[in-house]
Amino acid sequence: MQSKAKYGPMWINYLGPQLHVNLASAPLVEQVMRQEGKYPIRNDMALWKEHRDQKGLSYGPFTSHGHQWYQLRQALNQRMLKPADAALYTDALNQVIDDLLVQMEQKLAESESGDHIPDVAHVFYHFALEAICYILFEKRVGCLEPTIPEDTTAFVNSVGLMFQNSLYATFLPKWTRSLLPFWDRYIDGWNTIFSFGKKLIDQKLKEVEAQLQAGKPDEIQVSGYLHFLLTSGQLSPREALGSLPELLMAGVDTTSNTLTWALYHLSKHPEIQEALYKEVVDVVPAGQVPRYKDLACLPLLKAVIKETLRLYPVVHTNSRVIEDKEVEVGGFLFPKNTQFVLCHYVVSRDPSVFPEPDSFQPHRWLRKSQADVPGVQHPFGSVPFGYGVRACLGRRIAELEMHLLLTRLIQKYEVVLAPETGELKTVARIVLVPHRKVGLRFLERQCRAGALTSWGCFRGSVPAQLGQGEGVPGLRLKDLSAPRTAP
Ligand code: HEM
């Protein structure tokens, strides 16, 4: 923001020997994005690749380039990229949300005031990891159980270890690696991440083999994402091992932080929260579980997530290298291989695109019905999931996960800011995170109204694993056509 104020929307800087061309306006971002070729490159991902090379692993969607990346994306896009693909995971996500709500109930009951969660992002992190593991591997990994299994905890810790130490690993010269602890810690972090993924992939392979031995191949019921990729021949087990851990990494901090920011703002804007509550219970009355098709009737809910991602694009800066040709951007001609940095955080707070850019106004995304609210001005003003063929692979899953959970939370609770939270600032780590823990109070709506219809009012009588009593084992892919009742 300071550089833009000083130099305008385009400036250069050096990161070590690497020249960066920073772009901080929607038209400039658009110019670069629209000129990318068939195989867009973000950056060379040298540090991640070093680990894969050292361990003889194949590259995943973040680390691969060129035709190899293209082929991998063609495979990974199946059952993931289109909204209709994501719809398949509605029931699976609703099951995980059921368990999260039970866990939240317990946490709230244990808090001194009976309605307080001191670190919401932490709770959502575990939810997001559970959800993405269930979708990818059809396995529950115990993140929402009272005692989290050891290898799941080791995975969570190793992600932190890898990211913290990657900073040192990037900037320190290679000769320091054997003298200082950072490189070894960085590699150890990755090793634990991959062994967590390997265990889940091996389990799935065994299941598939057992099914093949037991019956005819065309009788096998293909359910989850990995199962589909392996049995349809889209991905070899080696490619799955190279790719799925990268999907896991991408699918946790992103959704959990966005959900945290969304609830923070809803707690600060009771009038917006109330409008959202009305919208939600009109479509999904208290006690019912949202179905995929219900989400089409929740425009404000979607606008809340869009506005949250505008204010806090978790991927705050992205990049592109255009390898095959010179490109003209902002009236300048740049040589091949120029590294462009796309300053999404700055762009999505540009007052010429979004009036009153620092204020939370979900209604700006509903321009058709709100003539008086300034609408969205530029298609590249807020592109939180990126653009083009290399855009986010998990966008539809992420949106579905956030929409379903937000629906349930707003249906059940009034969310109020806890006094210790105060004003939050953003910190740009690998993703954009709040500068301190976000404490919120969750006031149960049904209980307060005196209507003891919500299961939350019958604490103690709720089974720990909800959603599994319906007699359908494993991941359930089809959205139920009849409304399902919340436990
Ligand atoms: C709020 C949630 C999320 C946000 C805001 C987000 C944002 C992004 C962005 C900005 C990119 C770069 C796109 C580009 O360069 O044009 C990206 C890439 C990616 N995301 Fe997401 N993401 C989210 C959730 C997820 C989830 C849940 C998954 C897991 C399935 C996922 C998997 C990926 C992968 C694999 C890539 C790399 C794609 C490639 O290089 O081909 N993301 N994401």
Side-chain angles (χ1 to χ4, degrees), residues 104-123:
M104 283 181 66
E105 281 276 315
Q106 283 157 358
K107 283 189 188 295
L108 294 172
E110 283 160 20
S111 73
E112 209 173 306
S113 59
D115 57 21
H116 182 225
I117 291 192
D119 185 357
V120 172
H122 183 75
V123 173

Side-chain angles (χ1 to χ4, degrees), residues 98-109:
D98 286 342
D99 292 347
L100 171 70
L101 293 181
V102 172
Q103 193 202 53
M104 283 181 66
E105 281 276 315
Q106 283 157 358
K107 283 189 188 295
L108 294 172

Side-chain angles (χ1 to χ4, degrees), residues 86-320:
L88 296 170
Y89 305 106
T90 307
D91 284 349
L93 283 170
N94 275 331
Q95 280 180 39
V96 181
I97 292 170
D98 286 342
D99 292 347
L100 171 70
L101 293 181
V102 172
Q103 193 202 53
M104 283 181 66
E105 281 276 315
Q106 283 157 358
K107 283 189 188 295
L108 294 172
E110 283 160 20
S111 73
E112 209 173 306
S113 59
D115 57 21
H116 182 225
I117 291 192
D119 185 357
V120 172
H122 183 75
V123 173
F124 288 159
Y125 183 95
H126 285 100
F127 159 74
L129 179 57
E130 189 71 29
I132 195 72
C133 284
Y134 198 29
I135 286 175
L136 298 181
F137 305 105
E138 296 162 83
K139 280 276 171 297
R140 298 299 301 265
V141 292
C143 285
L144 300 175
E145 282 169 17
T147 312
I148 300 175
E150 238 170 69
D151 54 348
T152 303
T153 307
F155 172 85
V156 173
N157 294 338
S158 62
V159 175
L161 191 76
M162 186 280 288
F163 277 135
Q164 283 153 22
N165 288 283
S166 67
L167 216 65
Y168 300 103
T170 309
F171 294 112
L172 288 169
K174 281 192 178 172
W175 61 263
T176 61
R177 288 181 181 178
S178 58
L179 303 174
L180 299 172
F182 307 114
W183 179 254
D184 286 346
R185 287 186 197 151
Y186 168 75
I187 295 289
D188 283 351
W190 272 126
N191 289 345
T192 313
I193 292 166
F194 273 84
S195 62
F196 182 78
K198 185 170 184 325
K199 195 173 147 197
L200 293 164
I201 293 168
D202 286 348
Q203 279 174 11
K204 178 53 64 194
L205 282 168
K206 273 197 191 132
E207 274 169 36
V208 174
E209 261 171 44
Q211 283 177 343
L212 278 170
Q213 278 171 8
K216 293 176 193 152
D218 52 1
E219 283 175 7
I220 292 178
Q221 208 196 334
V222 176
S223 44
Y225 183 64
L226 177 62
H227 195 163
F228 168 76
L229 294 176
L230 291 173
T231 51
S232 61
Q234 302 278 340
L235 224 58
S236 69
R238 182 168 188 273
E239 286 168 327
L241 180 58
S243 293
L244 284 243
E246 290 191 4
L247 265 67
L248 273 187
M249 305 274 306
V252 182
D253 284 292
T254 43
T255 46
S256 57
N257 278 298
T258 306
L259 282 161
T260 304
W261 288 117
L263 284 191
Y264 166 69
H265 271 291
L266 288 171
S267 73
K268 287 185 34 142
H269 294 88
E271 71 296 349
I272 300 176
Q273 190 179 157
E274 204 49 32
L276 181 60
Y277 172 67
K278 289 203 173 99
E279 179 184 90
V280 163
V281 290
D282 221 25
V283 179
V284 192
Q288 280 190 20
V289 175
R291 294 158 299 166
Y292 184 74
K293 64 177 185 184
D294 294 330
L295 300 176
C297 309
L298 299 171
L300 182 55
L301 180 92
K302 291 182 177 175
V304 163
I305 294 295
K306 279 190 183 156
E307 182 68 346
T308 304
L309 281 168
R310 179 190 71 79
L311 278 170
Y312 311 98
V314 271
V315 181
H316 45 85
T317 45
N318 197 359
S319 58
R320 283 292 186 269

Side-chain angles (χ1 to χ4, degrees), residues 295-486:
L295 300 176
C297 309
L298 299 171
L300 182 55
L301 180 92
K302 291 182 177 175
V304 163
I305 294 295
K306 279 190 183 156
E307 182 68 346
T308 304
L309 281 168
R310 179 190 71 79
L311 278 170
Y312 311 98
V314 271
V315 181
H316 45 85
T317 45
N318 197 359
S319 58
R320 283 292 186 269
V321 178
I322 297 181
E323 210 184 25
D324 50 347
K325 57 181 185 220
E326 293 176 328
V327 283
E328 194 189 317
V329 179
F332 295 91
L333 192 61
F334 291 93
K336 288 178 187 175
N337 289 316
T338 301
Q339 174 89 55
F340 293 101
V341 176
L342 314 173
C343 305
H344 290 305
Y345 178 89
V346 185
V347 172
S348 63
R349 290 185 183 234
D350 180 342
S352 71
V353 181
F354 298 104
E356 298 177 51
D358 296 328
S359 73
F360 181 72
Q361 295 183 27
H363 287 85
R364 66 172 99 231
W365 297 96
L366 305 174
R367 64 187 153 167
K368 279 186 197 122
S369 56
Q370 305 277 329
D372 53 328
V373 181
V376 180
Q377 306 286 327
H378 195 288
F380 284 77
S382 175
V383 280
F385 292 98
Y387 171 81
V389 283
R390 195 134 202 181
C392 178
L393 173 68
R395 173 181 186 164
R396 301 301 171 189
I397 297 281
E399 286 173 336
L400 180 64
E401 187 179 319
M402 296 188 291
H403 293 155
L404 290 172
L405 179 55
L406 203 53
T407 302
R408 295 288 288 282
L409 289 172
I410 290 301
Q411 184 198 48
K412 189 169 162 57
Y413 296 108
E414 182 189 341
V415 185
V416 176
L417 198 64
E420 78 274 9
T421 304
E423 280 296 311
L424 290 180
K425 291 184 202 142
T426 51
V427 180
R429 297 238 172 88
I430 302 294
V431 294
L432 208 62
V433 298
H435 79 296
R436 66 157 85 100
K437 288 180 184 169
V438 182
L440 293 174
R441 294 175 61 213
F442 292 82
L443 314 180
E444 201 157 341
R445 288 188 182 263
Q446 298 298 312
C447 283
R448 282 186 308 135
L452 288 176
T453 50
S454 152
W455 53 277
C457 301
F458 297 100
R459 267 178 214 142
S461 63
V462 182
Q465 289 292 312
L466 292 160
Q468 300 197 347
E470 294 177 319
V472 186
L475 183 70
R476 297 172 62 242
L477 280 176
K478 290 215 174 65
D479 191 13
L480 296 179
S481 52
R484 196 159 77 92
T485 311

